[in-house]
Amino acid sequence: MVRDINIQNIFDILEQKKPSEVMRMCGYTPQKVRHLGDGHIQCLCPFPGHHDHSIGSFDLNDNKRVAKCFSCQQGGRPIRFYRDLNGLTSDFEAGILMAEDYGLITAEERQRILGSKEERQKWSKQAKTLEKKESEILTEEPPMQPLEVRSAFYEEFIRHLPLREKDRDYLQKERGLAEADLKDFFGFSKEMVISAFEKTQETLRWTEEQYIGIPGVFCSYPTEKDNANRTNKRLRFFSCKNDCLGLAIRDFEGRIVGIQLRNYQISQNQQRYFWLSSAFANREDYPLFTDGRSSDAPAGFEAAIGNPVSAIGITEGKFKAMAMARYRIHTFTVQGVGNWRTAIAALNQYLEQNPDQKKQVWLAFDADEKENPAVAQSMYQFYMELSKQGYSVSVLDWDSTLGKGIDDVLSNGYGKQIHKIKGELFIKENILPLLQQMQEKKKMHAKRMAEKRAAMRYQAS
């Protein structure tokens, strides 16, 4: 007899699972853990396609039932967390597979549900409930200020952060940038930031509410002196301990969508690049701070220098995008191929405002897309979604001995050794073999889970 299954009830049960339990069940062990409280940790991001080297961007909170990376934007509530850990693209499929892993349905029921068009249609009507839950984030963050407000603030803020001699030397001598290329770079040290924020407030003369919701800005609770002066909160601005180089990331309309910082010196537990953010102000271990805001991971844009080619480039990082722009390619920049959804959203917005632009895309990511199955998974998803939306996709490929990134290859004078390969051919020859390896690992994982459930049933009997 076929059992009547209420999928929504099952999904509601799954949404109450602890993310730490989901992570262990999927075979992941947290690396470089920082404990922020009972059931609340930070660790290295575990998601396919994102390889950070220091903690800070991935946050797991069992109490709020959320695990999310604020850099690659993957994860969320338990079903979405399970989905992204396993490199899946469908919440419905992820929920059904997760239900089987937890023993809520059998393997036969899983096959029947996933093969049923009627069940999928039912789910599409109920999906808004999950999406509403998914909109919840780890911290009680204020709403993000509109882009126009954020950009106006950042423009004034970086006007008070000049380039230092060491910044200029790095950009010109090590990166090969010309003087005209330096307008979006600035020094970023604790002393400089405090002064720049004070000058920005003096110039803008905004109310406190206009600043709250801008990544970087946060508040501190008042001191006794503030209470005497009837001041409720004090505005503050993020200032890192390390000496950094600042990079203004702009969209195709020239607005600053975010600030990225580059550490000059890093230790083992730090990353070279990170987004300016004040989300830390909402954590339990900073009880005197409030109203901080995460930055997300916005897509940037570098306009082609000279008459642009017909295609649009997509690469990782501002320096790579600038290198491609010098070769007459309008180029979007994202924080790793795992952020492909952000890239597509920015690309579609650009085409809406530039209808004469051909739907041709050149992808230029580092060589590990051909070596790392997790990165290959993101590359495959990116290609498939671009193709689905009608884009003609090519991949720029080169021998890894010529340079790690396309900026290295171009600056080393090997531009003519970059090959433009049709996306379909590149996927077939380089990506699908790695995905096959990943599928084998998933089968082994499914087998282990089945054996685990069988052992649990045996113990219960």
Side-chain angles (χ1 to χ4, degrees), residues 290-316:
T290 184
D291 289 328
R293 174 70 218 192
S294 59
S295 65
D296 297 334
F301 181 82
E302 296 293 331
I305 298 175
N307 186 33
V309 301
S310 59
I312 297 176
I314 301 178
T315 189
E316 178 181 10

PDB file of all heavy atoms in Angstrom, residues 290-316:
ATOM      1  N   THR A 290      26.064  47.086  18.290  1.00  0.00           N
ATOM      2  CA  THR A 290      24.782  46.743  17.675  1.00  0.00           C
ATOM      3  C   THR A 290      24.690  47.366  16.279  1.00  0.00           C
ATOM      4  O   THR A 290      25.516  48.208  15.903  1.00  0.00           O
ATOM      5  CB  THR A 290      23.615  47.252  18.543  1.00  0.00           C
ATOM      6  OG1 THR A 290      22.385  46.820  17.972  1.00  0.00           O
ATOM      7  CG2 THR A 290      23.595  48.765  18.634  1.00  0.00           C
ATOM      8  N   ASP A 291      23.668  46.947  15.531  1.00  0.00           N
ATOM      9  CA  ASP A 291      23.294  47.548  14.243  1.00  0.00           C
ATOM     10  C   ASP A 291      24.376  47.453  13.172  1.00  0.00           C
ATOM     11  O   ASP A 291      24.466  48.315  12.297  1.00  0.00           O
ATOM     12  CB  ASP A 291      22.890  49.017  14.420  1.00  0.00           C
ATOM     13  CG  ASP A 291      21.555  49.157  15.137  1.00  0.00           C
ATOM     14  OD1 ASP A 291      20.709  48.259  14.959  1.00  0.00           O
ATOM     15  OD2 ASP A 291      21.369  50.141  15.870  1.00  0.00           O
ATOM     16  N   GLY A 292      25.204  46.394  13.217  1.00  0.00           N
ATOM     17  CA  GLY A 292      26.165  46.176  12.140  1.00  0.00           C
ATOM     18  C   GLY A 292      25.494  45.531  10.947  1.00  0.00           C
ATOM     19  O   GLY A 292      24.396  44.982  11.033  1.00  0.00           O
ATOM     20  N   ARG A 293      26.169  45.569   9.814  1.00  0.00           N
ATOM     21  CA  ARG A 293      25.578  45.059   8.574  1.00  0.00           C
ATOM     22  C   ARG A 293      26.631  44.303   7.767  1.00  0.00           C
ATOM     23  O   ARG A 293      27.748  44.775   7.577  1.00  0.00           O
ATOM     24  CB  ARG A 293      25.037  46.234   7.757  1.00  0.00           C
ATOM     25  CG  ARG A 293      24.528  45.887   6.388  1.00  0.00           C
ATOM     26  CD  ARG A 293      23.246  45.076   6.440  1.00  0.00           C
ATOM     27  NE  ARG A 293      23.241  44.055   5.401  1.00  0.00           N
ATOM     28  CZ  ARG A 293      22.183  43.355   5.054  1.00  0.00           C
ATOM     29  NH1 ARG A 293      21.036  43.542   5.670  1.00  0.00           N
ATOM     30  NH2 ARG A 293      22.257  42.436   4.124  1.00  0.00           N
ATOM     31  N   SER A 294      26.267  43.085   7.299  1.00  0.00           N
ATOM     32  CA  SER A 294      27.169  42.333   6.423  1.00  0.00           C
ATOM     33  C   SER A 294      27.174  42.971   5.041  1.00  0.00           C
ATOM     34  O   SER A 294      26.275  43.737   4.681  1.00  0.00           O
ATOM     35  CB  SER A 294      26.722  40.871   6.326  1.00  0.00           C
ATOM     36  OG  SER A 294      25.406  40.790   5.819  1.00  0.00           O
ATOM     37  N   SER A 295      28.172  42.637   4.254  1.00  0.00           N
ATOM     38  CA  SER A 295      28.361  43.308   2.966  1.00  0.00           C
ATOM     39  C   SER A 295      27.743  42.562   1.801  1.00  0.00           C
ATOM     40  O   SER A 295      27.593  43.123   0.727  1.00  0.00           O
ATOM     41  CB  SER A 295      29.860  43.469   2.694  1.00  0.00           C
ATOM     42  OG  SER A 295      30.458  42.194   2.552  1.00  0.00           O
ATOM     43  N   ASP A 296      27.408  41.270   1.982  1.00  0.00           N
ATOM     44  CA  ASP A 296      27.118  40.387   0.855  1.00  0.00           C
ATOM     45  C   ASP A 296      28.393  40.292   0.016  1.00  0.00           C
ATOM     46  O   ASP A 296      29.470  40.641   0.468  1.00  0.00           O
ATOM     47  CB  ASP A 296      25.930  40.881   0.037  1.00  0.00           C
ATOM     48  CG  ASP A 296      24.646  40.882   0.849  1.00  0.00           C
ATOM     49  OD1 ASP A 296      24.555  40.093   1.802  1.00  0.00           O
ATOM     50  OD2 ASP A 296      23.740  41.677   0.533  1.00  0.00           O
ATOM     51  N   ALA A 297      28.281  39.818  -1.214  1.00  0.00           N
ATOM     52  CA  ALA A 297      29.447  39.707  -2.097  1.00  0.00           C
ATOM     53  C   ALA A 297      29.047  40.211  -3.479  1.00  0.00           C
ATOM     54  O   ALA A 297      28.819  39.435  -4.399  1.00  0.00           O
ATOM     55  CB  ALA A 297      29.941  38.265  -2.174  1.00  0.00           C
ATOM     56  N   PRO A 298      28.924  41.525  -3.643  1.00  0.00           N
ATOM     57  CA  PRO A 298      28.403  42.086  -4.890  1.00  0.00           C
ATOM     58  C   PRO A 298      29.337  41.872  -6.071  1.00  0.00           C
ATOM     59  O   PRO A 298      30.542  41.691  -5.913  1.00  0.00           O
ATOM     60  CB  PRO A 298      28.255  43.575  -4.570  1.00  0.00           C
ATOM     61  CG  PRO A 298      29.267  43.821  -3.488  1.00  0.00           C
ATOM     62  CD  PRO A 298      29.295  42.570  -2.670  1.00  0.00           C
ATOM     63  N   ALA A 299      28.756  41.899  -7.263  1.00  0.00           N
ATOM     64  CA  ALA A 299      29.550  41.805  -8.493  1.00  0.00           C
ATOM     65  C   ALA A 299      30.024  43.193  -8.894  1.00  0.00           C
ATOM     66  O   ALA A 299      29.280  44.168  -8.823  1.00  0.00           O
ATOM     67  CB  ALA A 299      28.699  41.199  -9.614  1.00  0.00           C
ATOM     68  N   GLY A 300      31.289  43.274  -9.307  1.00  0.00           N
ATOM     69  CA  GLY A 300      31.838  44.533  -9.789  1.00  0.00           C
ATOM     70  C   GLY A 300      31.868  44.558 -11.308  1.00  0.00           C
ATOM     71  O   GLY A 300      31.513  43.585 -11.982  1.00  0.00           O
ATOM     72  N   PHE A 301      32.326  45.673 -11.850  1.00  0.00           N
ATOM     73  CA  PHE A 301      32.363  45.830 -13.306  1.00  0.00           C
ATOM     74  C   PHE A 301      33.524  46.740 -13.683  1.00  0.00           C
ATOM     75  O   PHE A 301      33.761  47.764 -13.043  1.00  0.00           O
ATOM     76  CB  PHE A 301      31.050  46.443 -13.804  1.00  0.00           C
ATOM     77  CG  PHE A 301      30.982  46.622 -15.305  1.00  0.00           C
ATOM     78  CD1 PHE A 301      30.646  45.563 -16.125  1.00  0.00           C
ATOM     79  CD2 PHE A 301      31.249  47.854 -15.885  1.00  0.00           C
ATOM     80  CE1 PHE A 301      30.572  45.715 -17.503  1.00  0.00           C
ATOM     81  CE2 PHE A 301      31.188  48.029 -17.266  1.00  0.00           C
ATOM     82  CZ  PHE A 301      30.842  46.954 -18.072  1.00  0.00           C
ATOM     83  N   GLU A 302      34.267  46.334 -14.712  1.00  0.00           N
ATOM     84  CA  GLU A 302      35.348  47.152 -15.271  1.00  0.00           C
ATOM     85  C   GLU A 302      35.063  47.356 -16.749  1.00  0.00           C
ATOM     86  O   GLU A 302      34.946  46.389 -17.506  1.00  0.00           O
ATOM     87  CB  GLU A 302      36.704  46.481 -15.068  1.00  0.00           C
ATOM     88  CG  GLU A 302      37.130  46.324 -13.618  1.00  0.00           C
ATOM     89  CD  GLU A 302      37.409  47.648 -12.926  1.00  0.00           C
ATOM     90  OE1 GLU A 302      37.817  48.611 -13.631  1.00  0.00           O
ATOM     91  OE2 GLU A 302      37.218  47.742 -11.704  1.00  0.00           O
ATOM     92  N   ALA A 303      34.901  48.610 -17.144  1.00  0.00           N
ATOM     93  CA  ALA A 303      34.575  48.920 -18.534  1.00  0.00           C
ATOM     94  C   ALA A 303      35.793  48.744 -19.435  1.00  0.00           C
ATOM     95  O   ALA A 303      36.934  49.039 -19.044  1.00  0.00           O
ATOM     96  CB  ALA A 303      34.054  50.350 -18.640  1.00  0.00           C
ATOM     97  N   ALA A 304      35.553  48.252 -20.647  1.00  0.00           N
ATOM     98  CA  ALA A 304      36.627  48.044 -21.621  1.00  0.00           C
ATOM     99  C   ALA A 304      37.315  49.361 -21.941  1.00  0.00           C
ATOM    100  O   ALA A 304      36.676  50.416 -22.029  1.00  0.00           O
ATOM    101  CB  ALA A 304      36.062  47.423 -22.895  1.00  0.00           C
ATOM    102  N   ILE A 305      38.613  49.301 -22.095  1.00  0.00           N
ATOM    103  CA  ILE A 305      39.392  50.462 -22.518  1.00  0.00           C
ATOM    104  C   ILE A 305      39.516  50.400 -24.041  1.00  0.00           C
ATOM    105  O   ILE A 305      40.126  49.486 -24.585  1.00  0.00           O
ATOM    106  CB  ILE A 305      40.775  50.468 -21.857  1.00  0.00           C
ATOM    107  CG1 ILE A 305      40.619  50.569 -20.332  1.00  0.00           C
ATOM    108  CG2 ILE A 305      41.625  51.621 -22.388  1.00  0.00           C
ATOM    109  CD1 ILE A 305      41.921  50.456 -19.567  1.00  0.00           C
ATOM    110  N   GLY A 306      38.902  51.349 -24.713  1.00  0.00           N
ATOM    111  CA  GLY A 306      38.881  51.315 -26.176  1.00  0.00           C
ATOM    112  C   GLY A 306      37.583  50.709 -26.682  1.00  0.00           C
ATOM    113  O   GLY A 306      36.648  50.454 -25.920  1.00  0.00           O
ATOM    114  N   ASN A 307      37.520  50.457 -27.967  1.00  0.00           N
ATOM    115  CA  ASN A 307      36.332  49.895 -28.584  1.00  0.00           C
ATOM    116  C   ASN A 307      36.130  48.459 -28.105  1.00  0.00           C
ATOM    117  O   ASN A 307      36.948  47.590 -28.391  1.00  0.00           O
ATOM    118  CB  ASN A 307      36.479  49.924 -30.113  1.00  0.00           C
ATOM    119  CG  ASN A 307      35.215  49.487 -30.811  1.00  0.00           C
ATOM    120  OD1 ASN A 307      34.117  49.727 -30.326  1.00  0.00           O
ATOM    121  ND2 ASN A 307      35.370  48.842 -31.952  1.00  0.00           N
ATOM    122  N   PRO A 308      35.021  48.157 -27.375  1.00  0.00           N
ATOM    123  CA  PRO A 308      34.890  46.835 -26.757  1.00  0.00           C
ATOM    124  C   PRO A 308      34.616  45.723 -27.762  1.00  0.00           C
ATOM    125  O   PRO A 308      33.998  45.945 -28.811  1.00  0.00           O
ATOM    126  CB  PRO A 308      33.691  47.015 -25.817  1.00  0.00           C
ATOM    127  CG  PRO A 308      32.893  48.112 -26.421  1.00  0.00           C
ATOM    128  CD  PRO A 308      33.893  49.033 -27.046  1.00  0.00           C
ATOM    129  N   VAL A 309      35.081  44.528 -27.431  1.00  0.00           N
ATOM    130  CA  VAL A 309      34.758  43.349 -28.226  1.00  0.00           C
ATOM    131  C   VAL A 309      33.282  43.014 -28.000  1.00  0.00           C
ATOM    132  O   VAL A 309      32.618  43.587 -27.134  1.00  0.00           O
ATOM    133  CB  VAL A 309      35.655  42.152 -27.848  1.00  0.00           C
ATOM    134  CG1 VAL A 309      37.116  42.492 -28.065  1.00  0.00           C
ATOM    135  CG2 VAL A 309      35.413  41.734 -26.401  1.00  0.00           C
ATOM    136  N   SER A 310      32.761  42.073 -28.760  1.00  0.00           N
ATOM    137  CA  SER A 310      31.327  41.782 -28.708  1.00  0.00           C
ATOM    138  C   SER A 310      30.910  41.026 -27.447  1.00  0.00           C
ATOM    139  O   SER A 310      29.757  41.075 -27.046  1.00  0.00           O
ATOM    140  CB  SER A 310      30.906  40.973 -29.936  1.00  0.00           C
ATOM    141  OG  SER A 310      31.633  39.751 -30.003  1.00  0.00           O
ATOM    142  N   ALA A 311      31.853  40.321 -26.811  1.00  0.00           N
ATOM    143  CA  ALA A 311      31.515  39.494 -25.647  1.00  0.00           C
ATOM    144  C   ALA A 311      31.749  40.238 -24.341  1.00  0.00           C
ATOM    145  O   ALA A 311      32.468  41.239 -24.283  1.00  0.00           O
ATOM    146  CB  ALA A 311      32.329  38.209 -25.672  1.00  0.00           C
ATOM    147  N   ILE A 312      31.136  39.721 -23.272  1.00  0.00           N
ATOM    148  CA  ILE A 312      31.335  40.243 -21.925  1.00  0.00           C
ATOM    149  C   ILE A 312      32.130  39.213 -21.131  1.00  0.00           C
ATOM    150  O   ILE A 312      31.820  38.022 -21.154  1.00  0.00           O
ATOM    151  CB  ILE A 312      29.989  40.500 -21.229  1.00  0.00           C
ATOM    152  CG1 ILE A 312      29.206  41.578 -21.972  1.00  0.00           C
ATOM    153  CG2 ILE A 312      30.190  40.910 -19.770  1.00  0.00           C
ATOM    154  CD1 ILE A 312      27.826  41.832 -21.407  1.00  0.00           C
ATOM    155  N   GLY A 313      33.158  39.658 -20.424  1.00  0.00           N
ATOM    156  CA  GLY A 313      33.972  38.763 -19.615  1.00  0.00           C
ATOM    157  C   GLY A 313      33.454  38.654 -18.193  1.00  0.00           C
ATOM    158  O   GLY A 313      32.827  39.580 -17.674  1.00  0.00           O
ATOM    159  N   ILE A 314      33.700  37.521 -17.576  1.00  0.00           N
ATOM    160  CA  ILE A 314      33.417  37.333 -16.145  1.00  0.00           C
ATOM    161  C   ILE A 314      34.622  36.642 -15.535  1.00  0.00           C
ATOM    162  O   ILE A 314      35.065  35.588 -16.004  1.00  0.00           O
ATOM    163  CB  ILE A 314      32.155  36.479 -15.909  1.00  0.00           C
ATOM    164  CG1 ILE A 314      30.932  37.135 -16.559  1.00  0.00           C
ATOM    165  CG2 ILE A 314      31.908  36.299 -14.409  1.00  0.00           C
ATOM    166  CD1 ILE A 314      29.651  36.326 -16.405  1.00  0.00           C
ATOM    167  N   THR A 315      35.168  37.232 -14.482  1.00  0.00           N
ATOM    168  CA  THR A 315      36.362  36.680 -13.853  1.00  0.00           C
ATOM    169  C   THR A 315      36.282  36.902 -12.348  1.00  0.00           C
ATOM    170  O   THR A 315      35.275  37.375 -11.828  1.00  0.00           O
ATOM    171  CB  THR A 315      37.631  37.329 -14.437  1.00  0.00           C
ATOM    172  OG1 THR A 315      38.788  36.629 -13.965  1.00  0.00           O
ATOM    173  CG2 THR A 315      37.749  38.793 -14.045  1.00  0.00           C
ATOM    174  N   GLU A 316      37.350  36.559 -11.656  1.00  0.00           N
ATOM    175  CA  GLU A 316      37.391  36.670 -10.197  1.00  0.00           C
ATOM    176  C   GLU A 316      38.361  37.766  -9.789  1.00  0.00           C
ATOM    177  O   GLU A 316      39.555  37.691 -10.083  1.00  0.00           O
ATOM    178  CB  GLU A 316      37.837  35.344  -9.569  1.00  0.00           C
ATOM    179  CG  GLU A 316      37.938  35.400  -8.061  1.00  0.00           C
ATOM    180  CD  GLU A 316      38.407  34.090  -7.446  1.00  0.00           C
ATOM    181  OE1 GLU A 316      38.834  33.207  -8.206  1.00  0.00           O
ATOM    182  OE2 GLU A 316      38.345  33.960  -6.218  1.00  0.00           O
TER     183      GLU A 316
END
